[in-house]
Amino acid sequence: MGRLQEEQVADLVGKFRRGVITRRELLAGLSVLGGLTALSGAVPSLLRSVGVETPGVRPVLAAAAPKRGGTITAATIDKPVNMDPAFAELYSSMQVYQNVFSKLVYVDRNYRFVPGLARSWRQVNPTTWEFDLVDNAWFHNGEKFTAADVKYTFDRLFDKKLGAANAVFLAPTEGVEVVNPTRVRIITKANWGGLIPSLAAVLEVVNKKAIESADTKLKPVGTGPFKFVEWVKDDHITLERWDRYFKPGRPYVDRVIFKAIANDTVRLTGLQKGELNWIEQVPLQMVKDLKQSAQIKANPEGAFFPDLFLINCTKPPFDKREVRQALSWALNRKAIADLVWHGQAMPSAEALAPTNPLYSGFNPFEGTPNVAKAKELLAKAGFPRGLKAVFAAQPQVPTQVQVGQLVQQMLKPVGIDIEVRSFESARWFEELATKRYDFTSTYWSATLDPEHCYFPLGHSKSAWNFAGYGDPELDRALEKFRFTVDPVERKKAYGEVVRLTALGAPVVFQVNFIRTYWTSPRVSGVATLPSLELRMEDAWIV
């Protein structure tokens, strides 16, 4: 059994455990994947854990071998705006350019860090990491990749004149030293535990000559599996296979065409008609039925996308902790998951899903909704007769509006009267940046390592602290978590961050959206990843 089949079996078992599919549907799915015997790896024990035995000598269908050639036409939700990886201005931009550039390190579906441009790495001492690099990677402009490109990438990222947004995720880096063309040292503050996940999440390596000869925001040049060909604004972006890609045999397809289609139904129709063969999302209320369809394919999913409330702690009424906690006690996360996300989300009180090795499971608001507790906290805060607040929503983000309307109903019995007010995206962001808003909801797309979420949103000195929250105890906990390398100690430190964030409630997590990629039945090798990368080098058409 190939790795893809193993992942598909694990995906089916996960759905069965969550009640998404029945035992009969589980067995039917397993038969499609090739029967229940001759399974490799951890699959037999995984099946036994849900009462499915694997005895006998039934034949197993072989996985279809990857095939070269063809074009994948993919539909994202938003329009890309910038191909410069130093900025990552929009998730849809990242979905494209992460196929043009390469990273030193990648992460697989099981949270294992695997080689990219770095063949291997090691921590030499508390402040020094050494990376041995591949010697067969070439940029799309013909320049050979060397350690100098890694140093240039970091130097550019931290150039204050550039003002790169992604620098925040690599802030503990002190410098980069070139040892020789295939070896580089990254110098950090002592015992930064988040270096490797940060490299896997946000660091695409660029080339100085390419940066200086063209506008990278419009014409990206990397060492990735696909080279940039054209960008027709408001229509499509075309990438073509890079024949000098450093991974032998990859990518499989000749080209990838990205289109931005905002409407879920229009994307689904395009997939069903064969105009598209990969789409990011279908109408959520149709997911359960579509998973039974033979016309399209749901690929291995993952809950990597937290949706959360941002609460303005700088002005009444949410400047009082008890009011923020009252909101937390009034929430019915399961109702949000079911009614807004149509069951395609997991109720969660933290940024991570249970699949993440660092997941804490801590929830001080277990048993919510608790109206009596919420009222008690409001009275303690000086609002025995209730209060009024505004939920900021963007009309072009339907789930955000629906969350606002549902929370409006949830908070009314507590005595919090909510007005759901709509703002266009630019104005909505301005409300956050200037701290004029009361509270809102949003997603956070960087959670491979929780440092990428909790530190920018919660640290008092972070430019991304939209809540305006300052707690010295939380700052110390965040610093301890950030600068702990040992996995066991780091998980403990993360648990303290979750606890203090939940109790202070400047950010209140509600659900983790279960992301599923949808393709035609002929497309294989596609799966959601903890880094949220859309890794098209793994895809092929049968």
Side-chain angles (χ1 to χ4, degrees):
M1 175 173 259
R3 175 176 290 183
L4 179 62
Q5 278 182 295
E6 291 183 15
E7 290 182 351
Q8 290 172 328
V9 170
D11 188 58
L12 282 171
V13 171
K15 290 176 183 176
F16 175 68
R17 283 175 169 161
R18 297 195 303 274
V20 175
I21 61 175
T22 65
R23 181 179 177 82
R24 178 178 293 180
E25 291 167 336
L26 169 66
L27 294 173
L30 291 171
S31 68
V32 171
L33 291 176
L36 302 178
T37 62
L39 303 177
S40 63
V43 171
S45 61
L46 181 66
L47 293 175
R48 285 194 294 273
S49 72
V50 290
V52 177
E53 295 298 330
T54 60
V57 290
R58 292 173 56 196
V60 177
L61 299 176
K67 180 182 176 182
R68 288 179 68 89
T71 298
I72 288 181
T73 303
T76 59
I77 295 175
D78 297 316
K79 296 177 182 178
V81 296
N82 185 346
M83 294 293 107
D84 190 333
F87 291 91
E89 286 187 39
L90 202 62
Y91 179 50
S92 57
S93 300
M94 297 167 64
Q95 289 174 299
V96 176
Y97 74 59
Q98 285 171 336
N99 290 284
V100 175
F101 297 94
S102 300
K103 298 177 178 178
L104 292 174
V105 178
Y106 287 93
V107 67
D108 67 14
R109 271 181 59 82
N110 298 310
Y111 293 89
R112 292 183 299 235
F113 295 104
V114 296
L117 289 171
R119 294 185 293 109
S120 62
W121 54 91
R122 56 198 169 275
Q123 187 177 21
V124 178
N125 58 52
T127 62
T128 306
W129 290 75
E130 200 164 75
F131 295 79
D132 287 324
L133 310 175
V134 300
D135 62 358
N136 64 334
W138 297 82
F139 285 94
H140 305 153
N141 62 353
E143 292 271 300
K144 186 170 184 179
F145 162 74
T146 70
D149 296 299
V150 179
K151 177 173 172 53
Y152 173 75
T153 299
F154 274 92
D155 290 347
R156 178 175 184 263
L157 193 66
F158 291 113
D159 183 348
K160 292 183 179 178
K161 293 180 181 178
L162 184 68
N166 267 3
V168 66
F169 298 110
L170 291 153
T173 304
E174 296 286 331
V176 176
E177 299 174 355
V178 173
V179 179
N180 59 49
T182 59
R183 179 171 292 178
V184 67
R185 291 191 184 118
I186 298 177
I187 313 302
T188 71
K189 293 181 180 178
N191 290 318
W192 178 29
L195 173 62
I196 302 304
S198 294
L199 295 178
V202 300
L203 190 83
E204 283 79 17
V205 177
V206 299
N207 171 258
K208 183 177 181 180
K209 184 176 180 180
I211 293 291
E212 293 179 346
S213 61
D215 186 350
T216 307
K217 293 181 179 181
L218 301 176
K219 295 181 178 180
V221 173
T223 61
F226 296 94
K227 62 182 179 179
F228 174 85
V229 175
E230 67 173 356
W231 184 354
V232 179
K233 287 287 186 178
D234 299 326
D235 190 80
H236 71 274
I237 293 177
T238 300
L239 309 180
E240 288 186 354
R241 177 198 287 125
W242 175 233
D243 289 329
R244 300 179 79 177
Y245 187 46
F246 65 93
K247 295 182 183 179
R250 302 289 184 95
Y252 301 117
V253 298
D254 295 328
R255 69 187 54 83
V256 181
I257 300 172
F258 287 93
K259 296 186 175 184
I261 301 175
N263 187 281
D264 291 352
T265 301
V266 174
R267 283 195 305 277
L268 174 59
T269 301
L271 182 62
Q272 291 171 326
K273 288 183 175 181
E275 298 165 357
L276 305 168
N277 45 20
W278 181 98
I279 65 174
E280 184 173 355
Q281 185 173 296
V282 299
L284 296 178
Q285 68 273 20
M286 298 176 66
V287 166
K288 190 171 183 180
D289 290 338
L290 288 172
K291 284 184 175 180
Q292 312 305 318
S293 170
Q295 190 180 10
I296 65 174
K297 181 168 66 174
N299 295 274
E301 63 190 23
F304 308 126
F305 231 137
D307 213 65
L308 54 95
F309 291 104
L310 286 175
I311 304 174
N312 189 351
C313 305
T314 67
K315 70 183 184 73
F318 292 116
D319 57 335
K320 294 192 175 182
R321 177 178 299 211
E322 292 87 356
V323 177
R324 302 192 298 271
Q325 289 181 342
L327 184 150
S328 297
W329 279 107
L331 287 181
N332 185 334
R333 289 179 172 84
K334 188 175 187 306
I336 294 173
D338 290 344
L339 299 176
V340 174
W341 301 96
H342 297 277
Q344 300 309 302
M346 299 170 56
S348 181
E350 64 180 285
L352 304 185
T355 51
N356 193 303
L358 287 172
Y359 176 74
S360 76
F362 179 81
N363 181 8
F365 305 106
E366 199 74 51
T368 55
N370 188 324
V371 173
K373 180 68 173 177
K375 285 184 173 180
E376 177 187 327
L377 286 163
L378 285 182
K380 186 178 179 182
F383 297 100
R385 297 178 182 175
L387 55 85
K388 295 183 178 182
V390 174
F391 179 91
Q394 301 168 88
Q396 62 270 53
V397 184
T399 52
Q400 190 181 52
V401 176
Q402 292 164 20
V403 166
Q405 292 169 342
L406 187 57
V407 171
Q408 184 182 50
Q409 298 174 34
M410 291 177 182
L411 298 184
K412 193 169 185 178
V414 173
I416 303 179
D417 185 10
I418 297 299
E419 175 193 352
V420 179
R421 191 179 299 171
S422 291
F423 300 90
E424 290 301 317
S425 293
R427 175 67 189 282
W428 176 83
F429 186 79
E430 183 183 331
E431 290 284 308
L432 267 63
T434 58
K435 308 291 192 299
R436 290 201 300 263
Y437 77 110
D438 286 345
F439 79 119
T440 187
S441 69
T442 189
Y443 65 83
W444 195 258
S445 60
T447 59
L448 169 59
D449 190 289
E451 178 186 324
H452 304 155
C453 179
Y454 284 92
F455 205 98
L457 289 179
H459 196 282
S460 62
K461 291 188 167 82
S462 168
W464 298 52
N465 186 340
F466 296 115
Y469 184 66
D471 176 10
E473 190 177 5
L474 177 58
D475 282 354
R476 287 192 294 271
L478 285 165
E479 295 283 347
K480 182 178 180 180
F481 169 62
R482 171 174 265 187
F483 297 111
T484 300
V485 174
D486 179 77
V488 175
E489 293 303 313
R490 199 160 188 261
K491 183 167 183 173
K492 290 180 184 177
Y494 168 66
E496 181 65 1
V497 168
V498 173
R499 185 184 75 84
L500 291 172
T501 301
L503 293 177
V507 175
V508 175
F509 294 92
Q510 45 170 312
V511 298
N512 253 300
F513 177 39
I514 300 171
R515 295 186 63 75
T516 305
Y517 295 151
W518 301 83
T519 64
S520 73
R522 295 181 58 230
V523 174
S524 294
V526 175
T528 55
L529 295 164
S531 58
L532 292 173
E533 290 172 282
L534 177 54
R535 211 172 289 165
M536 286 296 190
E537 70 177 88
D538 295 330
W540 72 90
I541 302 172
V542 295

